Amino acid sequence: MKRKLALLGACLLLVASCSSAPQQKVSVTPAPEAPEPGNLPAQTLEPSECGLFLWTQGTPRRFIFFSRAASGQAIAMLEAGKQEQLTLAAQRGDLFGQFMTEMDYAMSGDGAVFLHLMPGESVEGGQKISSGRIELLDAGGWSTIIPVVGVRACQPDPE
């Protein structure tokens, strides 16, 4: 019995010494304010040209992303008053029309934009984007997720 009590006492001392060890404080930079998306100006397509148009899912709906097919470029208004030129850096996933379901874009500075799209039903001259998200990664490593909907559309040839 004395042996069990001695063992129990040793265990309690071991646990107490672990809990009283000095804690290391980790400094974490606070998250920046989430950007409020703006509205891109209207975009037009030339005959036989196709484009990807994305809007925010929330209210009010904002037109925040546009890319012409095969251009390797896009414009976005992920922060009000700040239109960004984006350059396609990688694409993967499934092909829908002239676009892929996952596309990565580089932006000025060290930021990046990642698109994850879920194509929906076909419509005349294109296809709906039933859901998706834009992930905005800033230079500090923080991500902002923006749920989106949209359409991939083509301007018909004149007859």
Side-chain angles (χ1 to χ4, degrees):
M1 180 70 159
K2 287 183 182 182
R3 193 173 192 185
K4 287 183 182 179
L5 287 176
L7 183 58
L8 179 62
C11 288
L12 288 175
L13 283 175
L14 181 61
V15 169
S17 67
C18 289
S19 65
S20 64
Q23 299 290 324
Q24 290 183 342
K25 293 184 179 181
V26 177
S27 161
V28 176
T29 307
E33 289 292 319
E36 183 71 28
N39 269 308
L40 286 172
Q43 302 294 314
T44 57
L45 298 172
E46 297 298 323
S48 74
E49 187 176 44
C50 299
L52 179 63
F53 302 79
L54 299 176
W55 290 266
T56 58
Q57 280 188 15
T59 305
R61 213 162 275 244
R62 293 183 169 100
F63 175 41
I64 61 170
F65 182 92
F66 173 73
S67 178
R68 292 182 197 285
S71 71
Q73 302 292 313
I75 56 172
M77 180 85 66
L78 304 173
E79 187 173 338
K82 189 176 178 187
Q83 185 171 310
E84 291 277 350
Q85 282 294 126
L86 307 175
T87 303
L88 186 62
Q91 51 187 346
R92 60 197 167 283
D94 298 324
L95 180 67
F96 70 105
Q98 301 77 8
F99 298 94
M100 300 295 285
T101 55
E102 296 184 37
M103 295 176 279
D104 302 344
Y105 288 87
M107 59 191 300
S108 61
D110 291 330
V113 174
F114 307 105
L115 264 61
H116 306 273
L117 305 174
M118 178 71 64
E121 66 184 88
S122 293
V123 294
E124 187 175 336
Q127 187 173 11
K128 290 182 180 180
I129 309 300
S130 58
S131 68
R133 71 180 186 273
I134 293 177
E135 181 180 353
L136 172 62
L137 180 66
D138 72 13
W142 289 98
S143 289
T144 301
I145 306 294
I146 304 170
V148 294
V149 293
V151 67
R152 172 195 57 82
C154 297
Q155 183 73 3
D157 285 326
E159 294 180 30

